[in-house]
Amino acid sequence: MSLPVMPTRILIVGGGGREHALAWKLAHEPGVNRVVVAPGSDGIATEPRVSVVPEADPFDAQGLVEIARGHSVELAVVGPEAALAAGVADALNRAGVPTFGPSRKAARIESSKAFCHEIALAAGVPMARGSAFTDLEPARRFAAQLADRGGGIVIKADGLAAGKGVFVCDDLSSAEDALRALLAPGSSEGVVIEERLFGREASLIVLADGHAALALPAARDHKRLADGDIGPNTGGMGAYSPVPDLADEVVEEIVGSIHLPALAELARRGSPFRGALYAGLMLTQDGPVLLEFNARFGDPETQVILPRLAGAIGPLLLASARGQLASAAVALGLSGRTATLPTTRSAAVGIVLASAGYPEGSRAGDGIDGLAEAADTPALLFHAGTQRDESGGFRTRGGRVLTVVGEGPDLAAARALAERAADAISFQGLQRRHDIAADVPQPVGIGR
Ligand code: AMP
Ligand code: GLY
């Protein structure tokens, strides 16, 4: 059996912390000559063998096809959900560029929460009880029924909302406020209302080629803005991997009961999913339950997952894009249809530094101090919302600004390093959490 092909020239679409981590990882893999990131960022451009195309529009499919052709790339990887929902992967594939990232149709598993519920129901995937609504009165009645059962209520805007369109409500009156805001005429496509689940969350991302799946190590995101899981939901304020309360055997079971049935259902409907299928899970007392599927790598999960991988990911992304993941996995000695990718025995902790005003609004243009000091530590710095200024330093560009990642033999050591490097960095209005990986459920069990 021949070994999977290594891509030598790769296009990454996007320009955030996740794309920086992907570019960093791929540019260090054997055989890779050039990674082009469109649009990328000034921070991403500092990586060796990486170039950026700042004028690129990540939603302009034709423009991206031209960039891919101009650089003769052998693989494209699409980072952001909005680019997938805009059909960027469809256009690149049509132009003959093998693309890791689902078609617009398959990406609806993320871009429509109602569609996600429909697929989960058809595939028998365990999910919170929920229903989709476009009108206020029936939505209110369903919320009242859930409130009568004594649990909390979760209201979700149906379209893409970068993790910010979800309202976890303790009582009916706050649920009604959220419904009125989201179902005001013209303000949203509709809502999904779910029963509130309790437990710890975990993100389990698989590489998928339409049918087969290979699991990346699990990670845990911290979605709320402030320490102690309070404040508004954000895109994610920090993450760690491994997840000690998610054993490898359980990971295999989850891929079998959640990812593979959903992949089969999408394929049955004529829209096979080729890309990163990300299950946001609640680990409830009754077992893992799906909160949402995302059609892409997580941010900031990717920043803590990729540094832990023991081998190259480029050949697996290319094999997924070509629908040949199962044979690639066998050739690499990874067994079965739901194998987990081998990791180093290390742990990684990532702390997000966000700009003033995030997530409601965000401020740009604040000078960033301490990057050189942070870079002097062994921590990794992934840029998200930064830009160079006239003096050669970096300023904030809004939103999430940086992810600082510490690696170590266990989560405590990784956390100490991430904290030290994050403490070195400052800018006006910096927002960050100080409790990422501070409260890990069990004594740290280390990877595989
Ligand atoms: P989602 O975008 O659907 O993953 O929701 C964002 C966040 O809202 C999740 O990471 C959870 O913290 C929370 N959430 C979503 N759905 C539920 C639910 N049914 N029960 C409790 N929390 C939820
Ligand atoms: N960190 C959550 C996400 O990428 O959706």
Side-chain angles (χ1 to χ4, degrees):
M1 173 151 326
S2 57
L3 281 173
V5 178
M6 301 277 210
T8 63
R9 287 180 303 283
I10 302 165
L11 170 68
I12 297 175
V13 178
R18 164 185 53 206
E19 288 77 23
H20 189 171
L22 281 164
W24 166 82
K25 167 76 176 141
L26 288 165
H28 282 87
E29 298 194 340
V32 174
N33 295 327
R34 176 65 34 195
V35 177
V36 180
V37 192
S41 71
D42 297 336
I44 294 177
T46 61
E47 295 292 340
R49 286 186 297 284
V50 174
S51 49
V52 299
V53 191
E55 65 282 7
D57 173 352
F59 309 121
D60 170 15
Q62 202 43 45
L64 293 166
V65 165
E66 279 156 30
I67 293 168
R69 286 197 174 130
H71 290 271
S72 308
V73 305
E74 293 150 359
L75 169 70
V77 181
V78 183
E81 58 272 29
L84 294 163
V88 160
D90 306 67
L92 286 163
N93 275 315
R94 263 198 312 274
V97 182
T99 300
F100 183 84
S103 65
R104 187 207 315 245
K105 260 174 91 182
R108 282 185 70 220
I109 195 122
E110 171 168 9
S111 59
S112 165
K113 292 197 184 280
F115 182 66
C116 179
H117 267 274
E118 188 186 317
I119 294 289
L121 190 67
V125 169
M127 218 180 158
R129 194 166 94 89
S131 243
F133 298 91
T134 47
D135 295 317
L136 186 57
E137 203 31 53
R140 213 201 60 79
R141 278 200 299 274
F142 185 73
Q145 272 174 30
L146 291 182
D148 284 347
R149 289 157 45 124
I153 305 150
V154 180
I155 314 280
K156 303 182 175 185
D158 192 23
L160 291 178
K164 292 169 263 177
V166 175
F167 301 85
V168 179
C169 307
D170 290 326
D171 55 35
L172 184 58
S173 100
S174 49
E176 286 176 335
D177 289 346
L179 286 173
R180 271 192 292 274
L182 292 172
L183 292 176
S187 62
S188 143
E189 297 171 39
V191 296
V192 166
I193 305 180
E194 285 176 4
E195 67 180 327
R196 180 173 182 185
L197 300 173
F198 293 90
R200 284 178 180 271
E201 290 181 48
S203 309
L204 185 56
I205 303 169
V206 301
L207 310 181
D209 72 348
H211 303 279
L214 265 181
L216 295 172
R220 173 164 287 137
D221 188 12
H222 294 62
K223 294 241 167 54
R224 302 294 190 112
L225 180 67
D227 286 0
D229 286 330
I230 56 173
N233 265 323
T234 68
M237 293 299 290
Y240 65 80
S241 177
V243 177
D245 46 323
L246 202 52
D248 286 346
E249 311 79 72
V250 184
V251 165
E252 300 265 328
E253 256 175 59
I254 295 172
V255 174
S257 62
I258 292 186
H259 298 78
L260 289 178
L263 289 172
E265 179 62 21
L266 286 167
R268 195 185 66 76
R269 293 175 181 222
S271 35
F273 185 104
R274 291 182 176 173
L277 182 62
Y278 161 144
L281 303 167
M282 188 71 91
L283 308 179
T284 72
Q285 277 183 341
D286 303 324
V289 178
L290 179 71
L291 291 178
E292 63 165 349
F293 274 128
N294 291 326
R296 53 172 173 83
F297 291 112
D299 187 343
E301 289 93 327
T302 305
Q303 292 91 307
V304 294
I305 289 171
L306 295 184
R308 296 193 58 231
L309 293 183
I313 196 173
L316 297 169
L317 301 182
L318 182 56
S320 301
R322 289 178 165 164
Q324 298 165 349
L325 184 60
S327 55
V330 173
L332 291 170
L334 304 165
S335 61
R337 291 214 314 149
T338 65
T340 303
L341 281 182
T343 54
T344 58
R345 297 183 64 79
S346 65
V349 173
I351 299 172
V352 169
L353 312 185
S355 58
Y358 179 77
E360 281 86 9
S362 77
R363 203 169 69 196
D366 295 308
I368 305 174
D369 292 321
L371 284 174
E373 288 79 355
D376 274 346
T377 72
L380 299 164
L381 297 185
F382 295 119
H383 287 245
T386 67
Q387 61 193 347
R388 271 208 201 276
D389 61 20
E390 323 70 54
S391 63
F394 280 95
R395 288 187 178 276
T396 63
R397 206 161 32 106
R400 291 183 288 174
V401 174
L402 288 153
T403 311
V404 181
V405 177
E407 293 173 272
D410 56 33
L411 286 169
R415 171 168 189 266
L417 175 55
E419 286 284 331
R420 180 152 67 88
D423 284 348
I425 300 174
S426 60
F427 51 83
Q428 195 73 37
L430 184 156
Q431 301 192 84
R432 64 173 270 208
R433 286 181 61 161
H434 291 270
D435 65 347
I436 308 299
D439 166 33
V440 175
Q442 288 159 25
V444 180
I446 303 194
R448 287 160 74 90

